[in-house]
Amino acid sequence: MRATIVYFSQTGNTEKVAYELADQLQRAGYDVTPLLFEDVADFPEALHGVDLLGIGFPTFFGYPPQFVLDMIAGLDKTDGTGAFVFTTYGGATAGDSLYDAASALAKKGYKILGGLKVEGADNYPQGIALKINAGRPNDSDMRIVQEFAGKLLDARKSGRSLDPAKLASTNKFFAGNRNKPREQVLRSIYKQVQGKIIFDDKQCLFCETCKKSCPTRSITSGEAFPEFSWKCISGMHCFQCIRVCPGKALSVEYPGTPEDYRKFWEPISDSPEEKSRTYLAA
């Protein structure tokens, strides 16, 4: 039996979950290929003829990154191949990220076996400054991942699947905006806290680490310094370039204080009941 787990991970949170899932599937007898999102185009054979497909990503303000959904939309049609989705998020809300990704897979003919959301360290610039969820995902989180893997295997063995709607968030904000264009909803959220990225050419080493790390190829080589288009993820910054820059040539100016960021999340955070619903399997 073959399984491929495609994942996008910038800071290691999602990758940690992906490899734990891969380990659990291997223990169950699967030949597992963990595949970085950026390598999908180079290894199309990893997606052909699989018995099980997993898609993992960090949640960005309650939704999957658009380029992950675009990748799913580009998959070949299948006739009932089992699939599951998983996400990591900074602790406030996973929103409709699982629902959106599972719905996209179902449209390509995949049978959804389950969805998992795992709390990780908040690696948005303000979240790092406030050390929100530092150290997550931890050992307790990994035990939940292991439990989810067991439920997935049982669902596939029994031939069960679930409606992606079962993975929709009960969070009132996301439920109320479910029928609105995602880009419109996202912009209404992130514009309140997204900072301005500042480039200091005096600090630039021209190592192009920022260019190599950019998931949307918004950074290109210039004659003397990198050139930034700032198209990013439909205008939304992920700030990976800032996190990886060895010369500290990139920094961010917050629209408010880091503490304002914590207050911003309060009205749209998940309820304790929604947060406790860490996974759902068929």
Side-chain angles (χ1 to χ4, degrees), residues 89-170:
Y89 69 108
T93 179
D96 266 345
S97 56
L98 295 179
Y99 168 66
D100 277 10
S103 297
L105 283 166
K107 289 178 181 177
K108 303 300 290 189
Y110 287 88
K111 286 187 177 180
I112 307 304
L113 305 183
L116 166 73
K117 55 184 181 183
V118 179
E119 289 195 44
D122 185 334
N123 285 303
Y124 210 66
Q126 294 97 313
I128 293 173
L130 293 168
K131 298 182 179 180
I132 297 174
N133 261 9
R136 304 283 296 272
N138 54 30
D139 290 344
S140 295
D141 297 314
M142 289 300 102
R143 284 192 287 272
I144 292 172
V145 176
Q146 293 164 8
E147 186 177 305
F148 172 69
K151 299 288 186 183
L152 276 180
L153 291 167
D154 183 62
R156 186 176 184 278
K157 183 178 179 180
S158 303
R160 300 191 305 270
S161 61
L162 57 79
D163 185 332
K166 297 282 188 181
L167 296 173
S169 176
T170 61

